[in-house]
């Protein structure tokens, strides 16, 4: 291994949301934070170096995004995802959550239904509801180990008036990397019902062996026409604090409407360090990412074995990608509403409560396993002791 993912970096005295919130706001001073989706790893050295070089310049005026920024994303999508895109199909965004909000405002009207596949990343609900649109739920099917899309239910929901779908691909929190078949079936329904798809592919690089991410818009020209894809290096390379993302749509009407909405929101320029970090990550991050993926997958194996051998009542829903996974804790016999608090107070491990993502995930928690293995081991040992005390 060229990169040391076992290295524990102390983040306690930084402004980290992940670390400050459970320790200083919820006041569990030694809690291990395994909730919000950032990893505890240092960014790739090429990113750190590029930002250091830019910081040393000392002048941080308004930026104009250089062509090399877009080229880095174009090359990345081609190299890693076999997807050909063009600069004039792209727009920038300070993040994917802002992009979802812009998209809801740009492509729907107040009162319109927007479909989401629950349980799902909870800002999807906010992007719809905070903009006066209606959430139309298309719950995923769960057979006890694996989630799939319920496409019959989706067709019913479309008949009831949903006109836009926010797709989470790969899916947070259920950890599915949708197969080409699943996406093609979804795509057929989208074309038949004239559905617009906002495809949040922020986790697209974080895919384990045996699965392959397929960009939804790459499936066919008809789908490209009706899809806006959200991408960013922020999950892949652990740069979410740099607030820099992009959207891609080959349909010029869609990309122009999206840009107009970002202008209405007053977001025109960009963030100096975000631009530099985005470009460096996409240009020089391949081998770091390959090693990260092996490390994360080994974390999944470690966690799965530990839970199977040492903690009864908690089951890992094995993820096919991302660094997030659901733990099915219904076997513990605790009230779902008390679950997250139990782990925080008794185990001193802070998760995201499953119910945040939808009522379907009550009794589950979401673990963020994007951390050094010694930290993961310590968290699991704390959980083991807490569960033994029930
Ligand atoms: C599916 C999904 N979309 C968007 C985001 C956040 O995106 P951003 O930080 O760019 O707003 C996350 C973060 O966890 C996510 O899981």
């Amino acid at each position: 291994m060229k990169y040391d993912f076992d290295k524990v970096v102390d983040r306690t005295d930084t402004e980290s949301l992940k670390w400050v919130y459970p320790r200083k706001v919820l006041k569990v001073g030694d809690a291990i934070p395994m909730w919000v989706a950032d990893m505890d790893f240092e960014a790739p050295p090429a990113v750190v170096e590029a930002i250091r070089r830019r910081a040393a310049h000392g002048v941080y005026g308004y930026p104009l995004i250089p062509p090399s920024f877009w080229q880095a994303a174009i090359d990345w999508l081609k190299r890693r995802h076999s997807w050909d895109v063009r600069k004039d199909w792209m727009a920038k965004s300070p993040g994917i959550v802002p992009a979802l909000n812009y998209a809801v405002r740009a492509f729907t009207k107040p009162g319109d239904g927007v479909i989401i596949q629950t349980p799902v990343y909870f800002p999807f609900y906010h992007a719809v509801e905070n903009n006066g649109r209606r959430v139309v739920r298309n719950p995923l099917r769960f057979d006890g180990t694996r989630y799939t899309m319920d496409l019959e239910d989706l067709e019913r929901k479309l008949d009831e008036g949903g006109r836009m779908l926010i797709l989470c691909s790969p899916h947070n929190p259920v950890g599915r990397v949708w197969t080409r078949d699943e996406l093609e079936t979804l795509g057929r329904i989208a074309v038949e019902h004239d559905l617009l798809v906002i495809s949040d592919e922020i986790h697209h690089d974080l895919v384990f062996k045996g699965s392959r991410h397929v960009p939804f818009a790459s499936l066919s020209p008809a789908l490209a026409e009706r899809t806006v894809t959200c991408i960013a290096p922020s999950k892949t390379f652990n740069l979410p604090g740099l607030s820099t993302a992009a959207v891609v749509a080959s349909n010029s009407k869609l990309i122009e409407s999206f840009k107009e909405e970002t202008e209405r929101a007053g977001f025109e320029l960009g963030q100096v360090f975000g631009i530099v970090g985005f470009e460096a990550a996409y240009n020089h991050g391949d081998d770091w990412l390959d090693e990260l993926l092996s490390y994360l997958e080994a974390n999944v194996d470690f966690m799965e074995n530990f839970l199977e051998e040492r903690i009864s009542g908690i089951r890992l829903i094995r993820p096919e990608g991302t660094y997030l996974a659901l733990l099915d804790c219904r076997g513990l016999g605790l009230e779902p509403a008390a679950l997250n608090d139990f782990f925080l107070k008794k185990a001193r491990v802070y998760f995201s409560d499953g119910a945040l993502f939808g009522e379907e995930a009550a009794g589950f928690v979401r673990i963020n396993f994007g951390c050094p293995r010694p930290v993961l081991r310590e968290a699991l040992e704390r959980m083991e002791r807490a569960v033994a005390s029930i």
Side-chain angles (χ1 to χ4, degrees):
M1 282 264 196
K2 187 162 151 201
Y3 305 102
D4 182 10
F5 294 104
D6 279 332
K7 178 175 166 191
V8 177
V9 182
D10 185 356
R11 301 179 68 189
T12 43
D13 287 330
T14 68
E15 67 304 311
S16 159
L17 167 67
K18 183 180 184 182
W19 286 79
V20 168
Y21 184 69
R23 291 190 164 200
K24 297 198 176 141
V25 180
L26 300 180
K27 300 197 185 317
V28 177
D30 66 344
I32 299 179
M34 307 190 102
W35 63 296
V36 67
D38 73 38
M39 300 188 281
D40 290 321
F41 306 125
E42 286 170 346
V47 174
V48 177
E49 185 44 37
I51 290 177
R52 191 175 280 139
R53 226 180 302 121
R54 183 66 189 84
H57 184 260
V59 182
Y60 313 122
Y62 292 121
L64 180 67
I65 297 209
S68 53
F69 172 93
W70 301 110
Q71 196 56 48
I74 291 167
D75 293 346
W76 181 262
L77 292 173
K78 173 77 179 158
R79 196 161 71 244
R80 303 288 304 201
H81 299 288
S82 310
W83 186 26
D84 286 301
V85 307
R86 299 199 327 231
K87 177 172 174 295
D88 57 324
W89 298 357
M90 302 176 88
K92 64 190 175 313
S93 172
I96 302 298
V97 170
L100 298 176
N101 281 271
Y102 301 147
V104 165
R105 290 201 290 272
F107 306 128
T108 61
K109 294 192 298 302
D112 279 350
V114 178
I115 300 168
I116 58 176
Q117 297 178 304
T118 58
V120 75
Y121 181 55
F122 59 88
F124 282 23
Y125 295 85
H126 300 167
V128 177
E129 287 168 344
N130 291 347
N131 290 297
R133 278 64 167 171
R134 276 182 304 116
V135 165
V136 178
R137 302 164 79 101
N138 169 222
L140 297 172
R141 284 200 178 120
F142 182 50
D143 66 4
T145 49
R146 194 160 193 263
Y147 287 84
T148 49
M149 293 189 197
D150 186 344
L151 297 170
E152 283 113 59
D153 177 73
L154 175 65
E155 292 205 272
R156 277 195 300 277
K157 299 290 162 61
L158 284 164
D159 292 338
E160 290 164 23
R163 59 174 313 275
M164 181 166 118
L165 166 76
I166 308 181
L167 174 67
C168 196
S169 177
H171 192 286
N172 168 17
V174 309
R176 280 298 319 281
V177 176
W178 305 115
T179 62
R180 177 177 288 273
D181 265 7
E182 287 172 304
L183 294 172
E184 278 178 349
T185 313
L186 175 66
R188 268 196 298 280
I189 295 174
V191 172
E192 269 165 33
H193 292 262
D194 193 21
L195 183 68
L196 180 69
V197 178
I198 308 303
S199 191
D200 178 344
E201 303 191 6
I202 193 170
H203 295 282
H204 61 174
D205 299 313
L206 300 168
V207 170
F208 303 140
K209 284 187 214 82
S211 296
R212 183 165 172 77
H213 171 75
V214 181
F216 190 68
S218 73
L219 284 171
S220 72
L223 286 177
E225 270 301 286
R226 58 183 61 259
T227 302
V228 177
T229 307
C230 306
I231 61 147
S234 52
K235 296 292 134 180
T236 313
F237 299 104
N238 203 30
L239 315 172
L242 292 183
S243 295
T244 304
V247 304
V248 186
S250 58
N251 179 330
S252 57
K253 281 207 194 96
L254 293 179
I255 203 71
E256 286 314 316
S257 306
F258 182 89
K259 286 183 187 164
E260 282 164 19
E261 192 54 50
T262 66
E263 280 169 32
R264 275 194 287 276
F267 176 73
E268 295 244 28
L269 297 165
Q271 208 264 23
V272 170
F273 296 109
I275 294 167
V276 168
F278 180 107
E279 192 177 323
Y282 278 157
N283 281 339
H284 306 293
D286 291 77
D287 61 343
W288 185 92
L289 173 59
D290 293 338
E291 285 197 11
L292 171 78
L293 289 173
S294 304
Y295 193 88
L296 289 177
E297 202 163 351
N299 270 1
V300 176
D301 292 337
F302 178 76
M303 195 164 45
E304 191 169 55
N305 291 336
F306 193 105
L307 290 169
E308 266 172 30
E309 286 164 15
R310 293 174 52 173
I311 309 184
S312 59
I314 304 182
R315 262 185 344 103
L316 172 72
I317 308 303
R318 194 178 166 97
E320 295 165 341
T322 80
Y323 50 80
L324 309 163
L326 287 177
L327 298 178
D328 182 351
C329 301
R330 292 173 299 173
L332 292 178
L334 297 171
E335 273 301 309
L339 194 59
N340 220 30
D341 208 47
F342 164 79
F343 284 119
L344 176 63
K345 304 274 170 58
K346 291 282 179 354
R348 298 170 355 269
V349 178
Y350 191 55
F351 296 121
S352 299
D353 193 356
L356 265 180
F357 304 96
E359 62 201 13
E360 303 88 351
F364 294 63
V365 293
R366 188 192 71 177
I367 184 169
N368 172 347
F369 57 87
C371 62
R373 203 151 311 130
V375 177
L376 182 60
R377 179 183 295 112
E378 168 68 20
L380 289 163
E381 285 171 355
R382 289 184 186 192
M383 289 164 69
E384 181 184 26
R385 287 194 292 275
V387 168
S389 75
I390 294 177

